[in-house]
Amino acid sequence: MKAVDSLKLGSSGGTDFLAIGYSSVDIVGHAFGPRSREIQDVLVRLDKDLGNLFAHLDAKVGRGNYVVALSADHGVVPIPEDMQTTGANAGLLRLPELRERIEKALAGFKYPKPAVASVSGSDIYFVPGVYEKLQHDPAAMQAALNAALEQPGVAAVYRAEELRDRPAAESPAVRAFANSYFPGRSGDLFILPKPYWLLDSTAVGKPRSYGTGHGVPYNYDQHVPVLLMGFGIQPGQYLQPITPADIAPTFAALCGITLASRDGHILSEALKKPAEPRPPTPSGATSAPH
């Protein structure tokens, strides 16, 4: 609210943009999980904070003179121990153990030790030169893949070359991994955990210092709200699949801004339609009000 006042947002002839990250939701969600009383509490507080902000904007800028989008960058897997109480197949996919399995599998193939440089989330990075060698060594490559698949909680393993060219695939998981793949930055192998299995990087023998995480292509990680309110927005509920990337082109359309390139599309169904001009009244006739 101080930013709105001190920067005089909404009082010039141009378009002002204010972005706010309510990061407390992320911190509480990681610590206590999405089914906790703590996340319920912080969402009630967020609702109050948003109400205060909108009331301030109504007073300073005027209701109907601004547009709001509210979304999130990710969902989260429920805490595995919590899911186990419901009878679900859930657990911890222990990444240090996975790394050790791959090292042991490659030990008999005369690869450097260590062969794995790091495991970050679902990405496995080999020491420079190792993966290129594996690509021409089918037996060793298969040994590494088999070792990963033997780790409890692993559903599938994908190779970088399977994702690099954004293949047309029916599998939502493959499409999601391919959309996230960035040459030179992404890993060499990609681990898909089983549903409700948490990727856990905690060192062997150490207690886990957090509740849960995210980063896999399941609905609980991908499903986020996209709420629009204010100028130019048609009230309603729209059930077709969209992404937060659609917010920028929608805002651009409302503001008369042309984007050079974009990943999303304009959410035209959520925008108010221009009023249609009324047909001319014939001479001598009267028109009843609608």
Side-chain angles (χ1 to χ4, degrees):
M1 288 188 283
K2 284 188 175 182
V4 171
D5 296 343
S6 62
L7 298 175
K8 297 181 172 55
L9 300 182
S11 62
S12 67
T15 299
D16 293 322
F17 180 74
L18 176 63
I20 308 171
Y22 290 97
S23 55
S24 297
V25 178
D26 183 79
I27 296 168
V28 172
H30 272 284
F32 299 100
R35 289 158 46 91
S36 64
R37 294 185 183 276
E38 288 83 357
I39 199 68
Q40 293 178 34
D41 178 82
V42 79
L43 288 174
V44 169
R45 296 170 187 272
L46 172 62
D47 185 74
K48 181 179 179 181
D49 288 342
L50 290 171
N52 290 337
L53 174 61
F54 298 153
H56 190 74
L57 290 173
D58 288 346
K60 293 290 184 175
V61 181
R63 178 174 294 195
N65 292 331
Y66 61 92
V67 60
V68 174
L70 177 68
S71 189
D73 55 341
H74 57 75
V76 71
V77 58
I79 291 178
E81 294 85 350
D82 185 21
M83 289 302 296
Q84 288 171 354
T85 65
T86 70
N89 179 8
L92 298 176
L93 200 171
R94 302 184 186 278
L95 297 177
E97 292 181 7
L98 170 67
R99 177 175 181 171
E100 186 58 30
R101 282 179 184 269
I102 296 175
E103 293 286 0
K104 288 181 179 179
L106 294 178
F109 291 92
K110 298 181 180 179
Y111 279 79
K113 295 181 180 181
V116 178
S118 66
V119 180
S120 177
S122 59
D123 292 42
I124 298 175
Y125 297 84
F126 287 97
V127 171
V130 168
Y131 190 68
E132 290 74 8
K133 184 178 178 182
L134 284 171
Q135 289 175 305
H136 297 90
D137 189 346
M141 175 70 83
Q142 194 59 53
L145 296 175
N146 289 343
L149 288 169
E150 290 169 1
Q151 177 67 28
V154 173
V157 184
Y158 302 107
R159 296 165 56 174
E161 56 269 29
E162 296 179 79
L163 311 174
R164 182 177 50 223
D165 299 322
R166 305 286 166 88
E170 294 183 3
S171 167
V174 173
R175 287 200 302 270
F177 273 123
N179 286 337
S180 297
Y181 181 79
F182 190 92
R185 186 181 300 168
S186 296
D188 300 308
L189 297 179
F190 300 85
I191 300 299
L192 175 66
K194 294 177 180 178
Y196 303 116
W197 282 72
L198 173 66
L199 294 167
D200 180 32
S201 298
T202 304
V204 177
K206 298 288 185 180
R208 188 163 95 255
S209 60
Y210 63 97
T212 189
H214 52 84
V216 296
Y218 290 124
N219 182 67
Y220 51 70
D221 266 13
Q222 292 183 321
H223 191 73
V224 296
V226 175
L227 308 178
L228 302 174
M229 182 191 81
F231 175 82
I233 301 302
Q234 177 65 42
Q237 184 177 13
Y238 307 94
L239 302 178
Q240 66 273 28
I242 65 169
T243 83
D246 298 325
I247 295 173
T250 302
F251 271 12
L254 285 170
C255 298
I257 298 169
T258 300
L259 298 182
S261 62
R262 63 187 189 219
D263 292 327
H265 71 284
I266 298 171
L267 299 174
S268 55
E269 63 277 6
L271 302 182
K272 289 182 178 179
K273 308 299 184 288
E276 296 184 3
R278 298 173 66 177
T281 304
S283 177
T286 59
S287 175
H290 293 283

